[in-house]
Amino acid sequence: MRVTILGTGYVGLVTGAGLASVGHHVTCLDRDEEKIDRLRAGTLPFYEPDLETLLHAAGSRLTFAPSVLPIRSRLLSTLEAREALAHAEVIFLCVGTPSDMDGRADVRAIEGAVGTIRESFRKGTALVVTKSTVPVGTGEWIESLLSGSGATFEVVSNPEFLREGTAVQDTLNPDRILIGSETPHAVETMRALYQPLIGSRMIPFVVTDRLSAEMVKYAANAFLATKISFINEIANVCEHVGADVKEVARGIGLDPRIGPAFLNAGVGWGGSCFPKDLSELIGMAREYGTTPHLLEAVRDVNTAQRQRVVETLHARLGRLRGKTIALLGLAFKPGTDDLRDTPALPIAKGLLARGACVRSYDPQALTNARLSLFPGQLFPDAYAAVTGADAVVLLTEWPEFLGLDWERVRLAMRTPLIVDGRNALDRTVLLKLGFRYLGIGR
Ligand code: UGA
């Protein structure tokens, strides 16, 4: 099938490459011309494992084009974009919906993308599919923006559940495909689109009404964030009563009603999705007059969790002024160079505010750290970062850190204190090496 994707970020690029790799003809559009030029030259705009291989598998079935260009101080859609849209059987909206000043989803990029579709598609029928996470009711709004254009549009919700760091695997092996539409023709077109990817596998193809599909996305992310904040709160109690939260998580996770995933206590959740989606869900609930007590608590626990690391260091080292703290890992999780809403940022700021000197290293996120002026000093490797440190704090559980020569780390440090902010290191080994080890909830 011919597919056009508006928005070539994480979701758009991985979705486009995934669909092209199973035989569809896909054009990925983006308003960032520089990004398109780099993609055409074979350079990835972000770090994501296996994405390069997927792009190879997609081959010439995947093409890139700028969606708009500045012409006489206005942004006008390009001829390539118009053609790709006019010939598409399925058009995906994969543009960003970041939080605005009030913490609500900013849907201006959706509005712009829909405008481009409207301009390009003047007759015939097209399927417009929202993969971006959009406030519940956005499908209806898009329909109203497209009405009266001369063409017929069916607007479908098809939320994305891929995770950064495993985006390719999540796209090729989804645990469900969710379609929000009440139109049989749209549902069948989406089924045909995904069939080559599903093959003979038993991947649930779930059809709901559009509003429910839009809501599923928010509810899924809010539930996962709730699980993490829950275990972090239990971790804090564990620290006081002397229990080990890792054992507790194992003990409760074996109950199939609870499940073991997303019960790793740590410095809290971050990234480009949980914070903004929870914020929008809270805003939506309030807008309709309900009080989202639980969701607000989930967010508060997460904010406090980040500062607990600073408090712990303060308690252990006495005054932080003049102390040197090494941060291992800046990305919000391993497998990505993404620093959006990473717990590392408020932690670094908190330490600096108390007069500490902060030295950081991350295997993939250093370029983004430099570009975003991440506070403190950045070092090209872990051993350089820990030199002279009074404490090392593990913030992202990159495999590289698990395999460090910890003897060498201890010798390089001023005082051998480790705060394992992800409960990922081998405590027994570290204690044997002479470290003082502090985990989260242990
Ligand atoms: C999340 C969801 O997991 C995806 O299903 C969803 O598609 C995506 O958001 C999205 O909305 O686009 P992602 O943000 O890539 O994916 O990352 P996660 O793997 O969910 O991790 C989020 C945060 O939770 C990270 O900071 C991670 O370190 C933290 N986390 C995760 C924990 O602290 N403990 C855990 O047990 C699991």
Side-chain angles (χ1 to χ4, degrees):
M1 291 168 80
R2 287 183 310 278
V3 178
T4 298
I5 295 187
L6 273 154
T8 308
Y10 262 101
V11 172
L13 182 55
V14 181
T15 302
L19 290 173
S21 76
V22 296
H24 297 300
H25 292 270
V26 182
T27 306
C28 280
L29 305 175
D30 201 284
R31 63 183 174 190
D32 182 345
E33 198 191 355
E34 202 185 308
K35 186 198 271 181
I36 293 297
D37 286 344
R38 291 175 65 203
L39 280 163
R40 281 172 163 167
T43 311
L44 296 184
F46 48 79
Y47 171 75
E48 182 62 36
D50 303 327
L51 184 53
E52 215 167 310
T53 316
L54 189 69
L55 289 170
H56 275 293
S60 60
R61 286 187 300 272
L62 179 65
T63 51
F64 301 97
S67 52
V68 286
L69 285 178
I71 298 167
R72 275 183 248 114
S73 73
R74 283 182 59 208
L75 281 178
L76 294 179
S77 45
T78 62
L79 194 62
E80 286 159 294
R82 286 185 199 203
E83 285 200 346
L85 288 165
H87 293 115
E89 289 155 272
V90 181
I91 299 168
F92 276 102
L93 290 172
C94 295
V95 294
T97 51
S99 286
D100 66 14
M101 300 282 275
D102 302 322
R104 301 300 303 272
D106 179 346
V107 290
R108 278 177 302 176
I110 294 274
E111 195 171 7
V114 171
T116 308
I117 296 173
R118 198 189 150 107
E119 254 178 61
S120 316
F121 216 99
R122 296 190 188 275
K123 54 180 191 316
T125 309
L127 208 64
V128 176
V129 183
T130 43
K131 246 194 195 305
S132 312
T133 303
V134 290
V136 180
T138 299
E140 229 170 287
W141 175 62
I142 294 174
E143 237 163 36
S144 72
L145 294 175
L146 287 169
S147 70
S149 68
T152 313
F153 293 100
E154 286 168 324
V155 181
V156 172
S157 166
N158 172 214
E160 183 50 63
F161 301 106
L162 61 80
R163 293 161 295 172
E164 291 184 24
T166 51
V168 172
Q169 292 316 318
D170 292 345
T171 300
L172 298 180
N173 307 298
D175 42 29
R176 77 283 209 195
I177 292 169
L178 177 63
I179 304 298
S181 169
E182 278 125 291
T183 321
H185 170 260
V187 173
E188 286 323 306
T189 309
M190 293 306 286
R191 203 188 292 277
L193 179 77
Y194 280 114
Q195 193 46 52
L197 194 134
I198 297 173
S200 56
R201 295 179 296 170
M202 301 294 287
I203 296 172
F205 188 85
V206 184
V207 181
T208 67
D209 62 273
R210 196 168 54 199
L211 294 172
S212 302
E214 289 169 344
M215 189 63 186
V216 166
K217 174 68 192 192
Y218 283 101
N221 276 358
F223 186 76
L224 292 170
T226 303
K227 267 189 114 173
I228 305 168
S229 282
F230 169 81
I231 201 68
N232 282 338
E233 189 153 292
I234 294 292
N236 297 340
V237 182
C238 281
E239 272 175 30
H240 289 286
V241 300
D244 182 340
V245 74
K246 275 189 108 160
E247 300 297 316
V248 175
R250 193 156 62 98
I252 63 173
L254 287 167
D255 182 332
R257 292 169 302 174
I258 297 173
F262 276 64
L263 288 180
N264 295 328
V267 292
W269 41 267
S272 62
C273 305
F274 286 180
K276 87 169 165 67
D277 293 350
L278 204 69
S279 182
E280 168 59 26
L281 186 52
I282 288 170
M284 239 184 313
R286 288 206 166 278
E287 185 185 326
Y288 288 99
T290 70
T291 310
H293 299 288
L294 178 63
L295 300 176
E296 283 174 345
V298 166
R299 190 165 62 176
D300 292 347
V301 167
N302 197 52
T303 308
Q305 193 67 9
R306 296 163 168 204
Q307 281 316 308
R308 288 195 80 242
V309 173
V310 179
E311 303 299 339
T312 302
L313 286 165
H314 188 98
R316 290 292 162 143
L317 294 172
R319 276 158 49 92
L320 286 174
R321 183 160 302 281
K323 296 283 179 354
T324 300
I325 313 294
L327 304 182
L328 294 184
L330 299 177
F332 79 97
K333 67 174 197 174
T336 178
D337 58 1
D338 200 337
L339 292 176
R340 282 177 285 178
D341 228 317
T342 177
L345 184 61
I347 291 171
K349 282 186 176 164
L351 292 168
L352 288 163
R354 294 188 191 205
C357 162
V358 175
R359 300 163 65 90
S360 309
Y361 165 71
D362 187 284
Q364 291 295 338
L366 285 180
T367 306
N368 281 343
R370 273 185 211 106
L371 290 172
S372 64
L373 305 178
F374 192 89
Q377 286 173 280
L378 301 172
F379 289 86
D381 70 79
Y383 300 108
V386 302
T387 300
D390 294 289
V392 163
V393 187
L394 181 95
L395 291 180
T396 317
E397 65 277 36
W398 285 100
E400 177 181 321
F401 297 144
L402 312 188
L404 283 182
D405 176 350
W406 284 96
E407 171 97 58
R408 187 175 159 195
V409 171
R410 187 179 55 81
L411 291 172
M413 292 174 70
R414 191 151 54 197
T415 45
L417 172 64
I418 296 262
V419 177
D420 182 357
R422 295 291 180 179
N423 287 345
L425 301 172
D426 190 330
R427 176 170 61 173
T428 317
V429 169
L430 292 171
L431 290 174
K432 266 200 198 130
L433 285 172
F435 280 102
R436 273 189 296 148
Y437 173 95
L438 296 173
I440 305 285
R442 308 185 74 190

